[in-house]
């Protein structure tokens, strides 16, 4: 079981989780050519915990993971893995981290087994234990039958699984998965999500970056929402939804929003009007008669979900076009 | 640096290299063909220099061996660019392998290719072209190894300087050609213009040819090639130092373009 995630600033954060924390990030900053990518990120992940790092493209997810894994340098801040300074990028720290970066990285001209052997050896596994671990991770990701095939001959989803398997070989204390399911088929996605749960259950800390809201909800894990380089929410997914998200009725108009609808606790976004409500159906029954004929382009009900949390915290809809993939938020759309 | 990790990278690089040995075969076969084509030309040059009983292979074999080893300097960098193209470079960098592990593991196979390339030419030089080594065979082996190390170190420097594969090819080709032509391995120094003769000692290939000339034509022993060996080792140290100074492990190299 994953322990419950609490907001980083919460006074009731479990002290046990603190003492077992694997990843500690404090005041992490990074800019590219004057543009801030990370603006003082604080984050802790305990052993056995999954933290889904959620945010649209450009939020800073890959930058954060790249710095933790030692691929990029930070401008300021602290990153510790098992209490060791991760910014020093020593072999000792890196042997505790398993990284599956956003872009698949496998050697296409050699077999899957040889790919796994190389990175297993670099991680310090001896031949005997490496052989056993290769069988274990291959079984977990259903790539046993592919072990002796050239990696270049595999499908995209199969390569993605090999790519993920490499990160797991040495039982890392901290598993970093950056957009691990982007472009993956349904089966690969399910395998990877199962693996994330299993890896955490075995005592590793997992930082799982994604921009698929539905994945985070199905994982039921802790969630860290990153927006424009800052952590805007950090907690258990169900608690966050409960705390921040009220159903929202969203009306999109063809022209200007009628003045009489602009009253009360509504928010506007261009031609969109958003009305938080405990009873969307009653709100619609009340509002629709007030809308002039032909003025309404669409009606949408955003049910309590991470989408609604994001909306409540940022005032913006989570950009699904950015996310490329399908999500499963509860939307009802009518025109 | 960890011997175990660099050895894992080295064995992996050899495995990758053997999946497509055509480049290695080409760099071995091509100089053999060139020796066959140019041997007679060099026979005349050696005769003019006063060497009797020679057939031209005494210059053609070491000359073509050294020239093609120099032409191949860019090969040392290929495995770095290839890893960027395959997305495996960041994977290696995120592993516990250090920069030194990566350098050693990736460069030693190209040193090996260079040694094999040079060695095969000398081995076949006798049966195919009538080459006779009058001096120390151990000296030839030593010179081959030190030259391969120096050229691979130059290859690393070129790799460190290049950001794209095209730059690697361009700088590697120009550097290799300059070394070969000006260093006197493609054309004997005695046949070069005065200014080129003055510049020639700045090239590692010049010292390699000087050593081979002593060992093949002048009954030279190990002591006679100590100078060229030390100079080549010096080139290797300087190139390695410059490469280590210039190499940016976090730099994104462009595989194509």
């Amino acid at each position: 079981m994953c322990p419950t995630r609490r907001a980083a600033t919460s006074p009731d954060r479990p002290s046990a989780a603190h003492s077992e924390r694997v990843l500690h990030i404090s005041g992490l900053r990074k800019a590219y050519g004057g543009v801030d990518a990370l603006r003082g990120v604080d984050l802790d992940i305990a052993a056995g915990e999954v933290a889904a790092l959620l945010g649209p493209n450009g939020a800073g997810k890959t930058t954060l993971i790249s710095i933790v894994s030692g691929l990029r340098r930070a401008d300021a801040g602290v990153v510790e893995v098992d209490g060791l300074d991760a910014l020093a990028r020593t072999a000792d720290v890196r042997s505790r981290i398993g990284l599956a970066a956003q872009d698949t990285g496998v050697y296409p001209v050699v077999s899957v087994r040889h790919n796994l052997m190389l990175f297993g050896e670099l991680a310090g596994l001896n031949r005997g234990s490496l052989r056993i671990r290769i069988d274990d991770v291959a079984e977990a990701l259903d790539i046993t039958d592919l072990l002796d095939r050239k990696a270049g001959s595999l499908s995209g989803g199969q390569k993605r699984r090999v790519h993920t398997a490499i990160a797991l070989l040495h039982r890392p204390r901290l598993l970093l998965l950056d957009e691990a399911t982007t472009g993956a088929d349904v089966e690969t996605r399910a395998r990877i999500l199962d693996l994330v749960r299993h890896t955490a259950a075995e005592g590793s800390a997992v930082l799982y970056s994604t921009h698929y809201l539905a994945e985070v909800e199905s994982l039921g894990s802790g969630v860290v929402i990153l927006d424009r380089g800052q952590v805007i929410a950090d907690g258990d997914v169900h608690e966050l939804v409960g705390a921040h998200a009220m159903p929202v009725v969203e009306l999109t108009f063809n022209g200007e929003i009628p003045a009489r609808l602009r009253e009360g606790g509504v928010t506007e976004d261009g031609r969109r009007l958003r009305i938080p409500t405990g009873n969307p159906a009653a709100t619609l029954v009340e509002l629709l008669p007030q809308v002039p004929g032909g003025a309404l382009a669409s009606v949408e009900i955003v049910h309590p979900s991470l989408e609604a949390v994001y909306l409540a915290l940022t005032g913006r809809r989570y950009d699904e076009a950015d996310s490329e993939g399908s999500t499963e938020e509860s939307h009802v759309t009518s025109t | 640096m960890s011997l175990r990790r660099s050895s894992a990278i080295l064995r992996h690089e050899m495995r990758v290299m053997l999946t497509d040995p055509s480049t290695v075969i080409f760099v071995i076969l091509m100089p053999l063909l060139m020796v066959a084509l140019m041997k007679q030309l060099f026979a005349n040059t050696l005769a003019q220099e006063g060497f009797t009983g020679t057939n031209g292979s005494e210059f053609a074999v070491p000359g073509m061996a050294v020239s093609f080893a120099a032409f191949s300097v860019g090969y040392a960098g290929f495995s770095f660019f290839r890893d960027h193209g395959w997305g495996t470079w960041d994977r290696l960098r995120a592993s516990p392998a250090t920069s030194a592990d990566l350098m050693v593991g990736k460069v030693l196979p190209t040193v090996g290719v260079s040694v094999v390339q040079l060695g095969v030419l000398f081995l076949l030089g006798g049966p195919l072209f009538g080459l006779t080594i009058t001096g120390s065979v151990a000296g030839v082996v030593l010179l081959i190894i030190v030259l391969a190390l120096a050229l691979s170190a130059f290859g690393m420097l070129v790799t460190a300087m290049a950001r794209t594969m095209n730059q690697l090819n361009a700088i590697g080709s120009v550097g290799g050609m300059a070394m070969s032509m000006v260093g006197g391995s493609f054309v004997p120094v005695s046949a070069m213009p005065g200014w080129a003769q003055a510049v020639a000692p700045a090239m590692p290939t010049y010292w390699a040819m000087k050593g081979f000339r002593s060992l093949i034509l002048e009954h030279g022993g190990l002591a006679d090639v100590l100078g060229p060996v030390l100079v080549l080792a010096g080139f290797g140290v300087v190139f390695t130092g410059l490469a280590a100074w210039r190499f940016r492990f976090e730099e994104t190299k462009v595989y194509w373009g």
Side-chain angles (χ1 to χ4, degrees):
Chain A
M1 282 286 289
C2 303
T4 302
R5 235 188 129 65
R6 299 272 191 272
T9 52
S10 170
D12 60 349
R13 187 181 183 80
S15 58
H18 182 82
S19 62
E20 293 169 20
R21 80 181 173 198
V22 175
L23 176 65
H24 168 64
I25 298 174
S26 170
L28 191 63
R29 304 188 77 86
K30 176 74 180 175
Y32 299 108
V35 178
D36 288 327
L38 296 178
R39 299 185 290 164
V41 168
D42 300 325
L43 176 64
D44 287 297
I45 309 179
E49 188 177 10
V50 178
L53 185 62
L54 186 67
N57 284 341
K61 304 188 299 293
T62 297
T63 298
L64 178 62
I65 286 182
S66 298
I67 290 173
V68 174
S69 59
L71 294 178
R72 287 183 198 275
R73 294 175 196 278
D75 293 340
V78 172
V79 179
E80 290 175 353
V81 174
D82 274 343
L84 302 169
D85 179 8
L87 299 180
R89 307 193 298 173
T90 59
D92 192 19
V93 171
R94 280 185 285 177
S95 66
R96 291 162 195 263
I97 298 174
L99 167 72
Q102 188 171 358
D103 295 326
T104 307
V106 293
Y107 287 95
V109 297
V110 298
S111 69
V112 170
R113 190 185 301 280
H114 282 134
N115 270 280
L116 294 168
M117 278 172 63
L118 169 67
F119 291 103
E121 284 185 56
L122 292 181
L125 296 175
N126 63 41
R127 279 180 181 269
S129 56
L130 180 54
R131 206 172 299 125
I132 294 166
R133 281 300 291 161
I134 287 176
D135 289 343
D136 286 349
V137 296
E139 193 183 337
L141 282 156
D142 195 23
I143 54 170
T144 304
D145 293 342
L146 310 176
L147 283 175
D148 295 314
R149 278 178 58 185
K150 274 191 181 177
S153 70
L154 306 182
S155 70
Q158 290 168 333
K159 274 185 201 159
R160 175 64 69 176
R161 282 188 246 172
V162 174
H163 177 69
T164 308
I166 290 171
L168 287 161
L169 277 172
H170 57 299
R171 297 180 192 277
R173 283 281 290 161
L174 174 65
L175 177 62
L176 303 171
L177 300 178
D178 191 8
E179 309 270 355
T181 55
T182 299
D185 54 79
V186 174
E187 191 196 344
T188 299
R189 184 171 292 201
R191 287 273 177 186
I192 290 175
L193 291 179
D194 278 349
L195 197 86
V196 166
R197 294 186 192 98
H198 182 71
T199 305
E202 285 192 329
S204 296
V206 183
L207 182 58
Y208 179 86
S209 124
T210 181
H211 50 203
Y212 297 142
L213 298 171
E215 271 184 13
V216 182
E217 286 168 347
S218 79
L219 267 174
S221 62
V223 60
V224 176
I225 302 181
L226 201 59
D227 184 60
R228 297 172 179 176
Q230 282 185 309
V231 174
I232 57 169
D234 179 358
D236 174 82
V237 63
H238 302 298
E239 289 176 12
L240 274 179
V241 170
H244 290 283
M246 181 181 271
V248 172
V249 170
E250 184 177 277
L251 307 178
T252 305
F253 292 88
N254 288 317
E256 278 204 15
I257 299 170
R260 64 187 148 187
L261 297 179
R262 291 174 159 170
E263 295 159 3
V266 301
T267 57
E268 292 176 40
D269 178 11
R271 291 178 178 179
R272 281 187 188 148
L273 185 72
R274 295 190 182 112
I275 306 122
T277 170
N279 189 340
T283 303
L284 277 175
V285 168
E286 185 189 332
L287 285 177
L288 289 178
Q290 302 177 44
V291 178
L296 203 56
S298 69
V299 175
E300 199 170 330
I301 299 172
V302 182
H303 285 291
S305 63
L306 278 175
E307 167 79 50
V309 173
Y310 189 82
L311 184 60
L313 291 170
T314 65
R316 304 189 310 278
R317 289 291 294 269
Y318 194 81
D319 189 351
E320 293 303 331
D322 222 9
S323 306
E324 292 176 21
S326 65
T327 57
E328 294 160 14
E329 286 78 53
S330 308
H331 288 177
V332 178
T333 305
S334 60
T335 305
Chain B
M1 200 189 97
S2 153
L3 203 63
R4 190 172 157 172
R5 286 193 292 257
S6 48
S7 146
I9 296 169
L10 188 150
R11 280 182 279 115
H12 172 75
E13 286 298 327
M14 297 295 286
R15 187 173 289 120
V16 171
M17 196 183 280
L18 290 174
T19 61
D20 181 14
S22 57
T23 309
V24 178
I25 293 169
F26 174 79
V27 297
I28 291 171
L29 290 183
M30 201 54 203
L32 283 172
L33 181 64
M34 292 299 287
V35 172
L37 286 171
M38 301 183 76
K39 194 177 107 172
Q40 190 53 48
L41 183 69
F42 297 131
N44 300 337
T45 309
L46 289 173
Q48 282 172 9
E49 289 185 27
F51 289 103
T52 54
T54 55
N55 64 14
S57 66
E58 297 80 3
F59 181 89
V61 169
M64 293 307 111
V66 170
S67 293
F68 276 82
F71 293 159
S72 315
V73 286
Y75 191 62
F78 180 68
S79 70
F80 290 85
F81 283 84
R82 183 203 64 203
D83 271 29
H84 280 272
W86 286 343
T88 43
W89 179 247
D90 276 351
R91 180 131 244 172
L92 288 172
R93 283 184 56 225
S95 80
T98 63
S99 307
D101 295 333
L102 285 172
M103 278 283 199
V104 170
K106 281 182 165 291
V107 176
L108 279 187
T110 65
V111 175
V113 168
S114 206
V115 167
V116 169
Q117 180 192 26
L118 289 156
V120 164
L121 239 78
F122 279 92
L123 275 175
L124 297 180
L128 290 183
F129 306 113
L131 172 71
T132 306
I133 297 171
T134 62
S136 165
V137 174
V140 172
V141 173
L142 180 63
L143 210 51
I144 284 174
I145 293 170
V146 184
L147 174 65
L149 284 166
L151 290 178
S152 295
F154 181 72
M156 281 316 305
L157 177 58
V158 172
T159 306
M161 290 161 64
R163 207 182 67 77
T164 69
M165 189 75 183
N166 285 344
Q167 288 174 0
L168 175 77
N169 286 333
I171 303 172
S173 300
V174 170
M177 288 286 276
M179 275 196 204
S180 165
M181 298 299 175
V182 182
S185 60
F186 210 78
V187 178
V189 172
S190 59
M192 297 193 322
W195 65 266
Q197 290 189 22
V199 177
M203 303 289 160
T205 44
Y206 170 87
W207 297 94
M209 288 305 293
K210 188 177 170 72
F212 285 130
R213 184 186 179 95
S214 166
L215 293 164
I216 294 170
L217 289 167
E218 297 163 356
H219 305 276
L222 270 175
D224 295 307
V225 290
L226 195 60
V229 165
L230 286 176
V231 174
L232 283 172
F235 272 113
V237 169
V238 171
F239 291 148
T240 303
L242 288 173
W245 168 71
R246 176 66 186 84
F247 208 103
R248 303 280 178 269
F249 279 83
E250 63 274 24
E251 179 181 71
T252 302
K253 291 194 183 286
V254 181
Y255 190 33
W256 297 116

